[in-house]
Amino acid sequence: MELLDPAKQKRVFPDEMYEKLNGFVDDLDIDPADPRKKGNLIQVLRKGQQIFGYLPRELQEYVAVRLGIHHAEVSGVVSFYNFFTTTPKGEFTISVCMGTACYVNGADKILSQFERILGIKSGEVTEDRKFSIDSLRCVGACSLAPVVTINDKVYGRVAPQDVEKIIEDCLVQEEA
């Protein structure tokens, strides 16, 4: 396969973001001729998602060229692992658990309340990219049902009337 120069690829994000990813890849010291280089792909994709927030096609193509592998290999890994996302996420990623315990305790009403207040549906991100909403199958904290997670913080026994305060807390946290 002929390797393209990553610098000549179409870039949709600021150069500083690509420089961070390149620094990470450089630190891995990957030899483009080494067939084991694919073993670093997940690490590179995780770092890419951390830096860029998600893995759109353009970034996947960049990673493929940077590692000297086919885009199909990168795309296959991205689509296989649930951790990876090809859609933008907000600064505050709201996940509402829809497992059985949470659902029977009103998780659907909580999700509806987040959607109403933020003006987006599950799977979408606000225009300012501050908030995104998703639903999960199970968080594994059934004794706290219904459960909402925002980034790494867990909120238990959430009621629809708590949603506005939770959103306000995020905005206050951002200002701090």
Side-chain angles (χ1 to χ4, degrees), residues 95-116:
S95 299
V96 180
C97 180
M98 290 299 201
T100 303
C102 289
Y103 189 82
V104 299
N105 282 292
D108 58 328
K109 293 172 185 65
I110 293 162
L111 177 61
S112 294
Q113 187 73 338
F114 273 111
E115 291 175 335
R116 186 187 67 72

Side-chain angles (χ1 to χ4, degrees), residues 56-156:
R57 181 180 177 96
E58 294 82 6
L59 184 56
Q60 292 177 45
E61 290 171 348
Y62 183 85
V63 167
V65 169
R66 185 67 173 81
L67 296 182
I69 60 178
H70 292 280
H71 172 253
E73 293 175 81
V74 175
S75 177
V77 169
V78 170
S79 63
F80 181 79
Y81 291 101
N82 288 339
F83 171 80
F84 295 124
T85 181
T86 58
T87 57
K89 298 291 179 192
E91 180 182 338
F92 298 100
T93 302
I94 301 165
S95 299
V96 180
C97 180
M98 290 299 201
T100 303
C102 289
Y103 189 82
V104 299
N105 282 292
D108 58 328
K109 293 172 185 65
I110 293 162
L111 177 61
S112 294
Q113 187 73 338
F114 273 111
E115 291 175 335
R116 186 187 67 72
I117 291 172
L118 295 173
I120 58 173
K121 296 287 183 192
S122 181
E124 296 179 347
V125 63
T126 57
E127 252 183 60
D128 61 5
R129 295 199 48 190
K130 284 203 187 306
F131 295 95
S132 57
I133 306 172
D134 287 309
S135 59
L136 302 173
R137 283 285 142 230
C138 184
V139 173
C142 301
S143 64
L144 297 175
V147 174
V148 170
T149 64
I150 301 181
N151 300 345
D152 294 325
K153 186 171 182 179
V154 177
Y155 295 83

